[in-house]
Amino acid sequence: MTISAILPPGVILILAGFLLPLLQGHARTAALLIAPVITLAVIWQVPDGVVMSLGFMGYTLTPVEGDTLSRLFATIFAIMAFGGGLFALNQDRVTELAAAFVYAGAAIGVTFAGDLITLFVFWEIMALASTLVVWSAGAKAFGAGMRYVSIHLLGGVLLMIGIIGEVAATGSVEFTAIQPDTAARWFILAGFLINAGAPPLSAWLPDAYPEASWSGMVFLSAFTTKTAVYVLLRGFPGADILVFVGLYMIFYGIVYAILENDMRRILAYSIVNQVGFMVCGIGIGTTMALNGAAAHAFTHIIYKALLLMSAGSVLYMTGKRKCTDLGGLFRTMPLTAICGIIGALSISSFPLTSGFISKSMISQAAADEHLFVVWMALAAASAGVFLHAGIKFPWFVFFQKDSGMRPEEPPWNMKAAMVLFSFLCIGLGVLPYPLYAMLPYPVDYVPYTVSHVTSMLQLLLFSGLAFFLMLGMLKRTLTITLDFDWFYRGLGKVLAKEFDMRSARAWGAMVERLYDAVVRFVGTLYRHHGPQGVLARSWPTGSMAFWTTLLLCACVIVYYF
Amino acid sequence: MSEPDHWLVRPKTIRMLWIVFSIILALLVLSDLVVHHHAHFGIDGTFGFYAWYGFLSCVVLVVGSKALGAILKRRDTYYDD
């Protein structure tokens, strides 16, 4: 009997989150660092199969059901909670830390959910907790948080519709591999894909995440999109549409990141791009591709968190986030720069970094399946990743021009978190086999062949050449790029403005008409009753006598006849 | 007061870096003469494929992005007012 039979591993982290606001100083530090470790220990003790089950409204819920895939994702989420907690030790907004731990715990809850109802409950806790993480950055993040939660609640509603339809049709709440072949299943898929950052609603991610605090975005980058990858891996392996959705996300991320000026929005777009690789792999659906997607999610969480820690450190020390304001920081922040570069090389899947041993499995799967167009697109995208994140981020933040700023390195805990995750990036890149052993299917793949290393280096270094030759075209400007979110941010405003203008005109016309009517009425009144009015004249006595005489005459005449 | 340039940004160093970078690029392309690539589609086994394809992809992506940016770019206070 394991602990997880009584207490789901994710709930441990959720409880720790609720405890955090009650703690101060060293006690809080200890809770932040120990809770993820305990959670990780419990995760590794979850055996295969149903561990906990309970009845609910006639259905059998399985809040904890373990297998390799669950443990893989739960493990990386717990590691992330630890690394994020370490990085955020000096974050004085305790709401953010508490929300982040509840968020991480809910993500772990999703990975062990054996049924759709449990999954939905944890899914919604994630949406609420992550919104709190965004909001705890302060008043400026309110609008972005509101848009974020609206999109996620919409996703939740779609998922709920799908789950109800699925349960009504099959009578089972079990969460197993399905295909999008009924309306209900399409709704489930849509709910999952919204959290993955899929089109057309991808904009929620680069809109909201960069508005979080310097530490908040580190947490946010890890859980929502990767739980979506997890549920797609388990629920829709081999669904063809995911190949195209994934490819769209890959190129969307690259193009928007190339045009972006805000360093953390560049990294946000590259989350969509990287999740695109995973979604594409899930769509290909062979064991190699699914292993690749799972491995890539694992490595991605680490190097993306590392990149965002590096960016977060820069934001924390300088208060600046735009590339146009930054540059030349390598002089006084060498450690932050080096860690950022290690993250950047990992995301570009440079040999000896973690990205190299995970992303290449997805390309390999495309090649094995003879998907020529997909393979060519993935290769082009690998070059594009180096361009938009691998070089662009470190170049514009740490080199480029001398911004004149001479910030110091961040506090020790932030440095420690970056160094830890840098070691993980390189460690997994050099020794991939422990990770391969944790993947859902047996791995028959050797990443380090001379051919693979030289071809990857050619692809990447020539992309680097292209970057520096086209530096003029990549110069940053004070701009943003319109996206689908314009429909709910810009269009509404335009309509409101138009309505405002037109209603003002209508009001004006109405007032004018009313005024005219009043003026006319008063005019008529004046004409009849005014000093010169027919009904208000003072009549001379003579005319009175005249009229009386006339009337008397008339009486006489009438009487006479 | 002007501090001396960091050694990494001196023109001499940058020129040196370009030379070293060019040599590495040339060696990498030449390595195709000896390394056998297991080609899945044919084109991926040709000489210098990854070099020109990587370069070309980036050029297309940057030019394409610029074209899209010409339509979709707005000043970054667009949503603020």
Side-chain angles (χ1 to χ4, degrees), chain A residues 376 406 451 480 482 493, chain B residues 3 28 37 53 72 74 79:
Chain A
M376 287 291 269
R406 294 289 183 270
S451 159
I480 55 161
L482 294 186
K493 201 177 273 183
Chain B
E3 54 188 320
L28 268 174
H37 291 296
Y53 187 65
L72 293 179
R74 296 290 183 277
Y79 286 121

Side-chain angles (χ1 to χ4, degrees), chain B:
Chain B
M1 190 196 89
S2 68
E3 54 188 320
D5 267 351
H6 191 281
W7 62 269
L8 203 56
V9 294
R10 284 174 207 153
K12 210 173 137 193
T13 323
I14 292 173
R15 198 165 57 243
M16 198 63 199
L17 285 173
W18 269 109
I19 293 169
V20 173
F21 188 46
S22 308
I23 293 171
I24 293 175
L25 291 179
L27 286 177
L28 268 174
V29 175
L30 290 176
S31 77
D32 272 7
L33 293 173
V34 281
V35 176
H36 171 71
H37 291 296
H38 176 67
H40 291 275
F41 305 105
I43 190 174
D44 51 332
T46 53
F47 179 74
F49 166 75
Y50 290 93
W52 70 258
Y53 187 65
F55 187 84
L56 192 72
S57 302
C58 288
V59 172
V60 171
L61 280 169
V62 171
V63 174
S65 303
K66 288 293 272 188
L68 194 69
I71 308 167
L72 293 179
K73 264 189 170 185
R74 296 290 183 277
R75 63 189 196 288
D76 60 3
T77 51
Y78 179 75
Y79 286 121
D80 295 350
D81 45 48

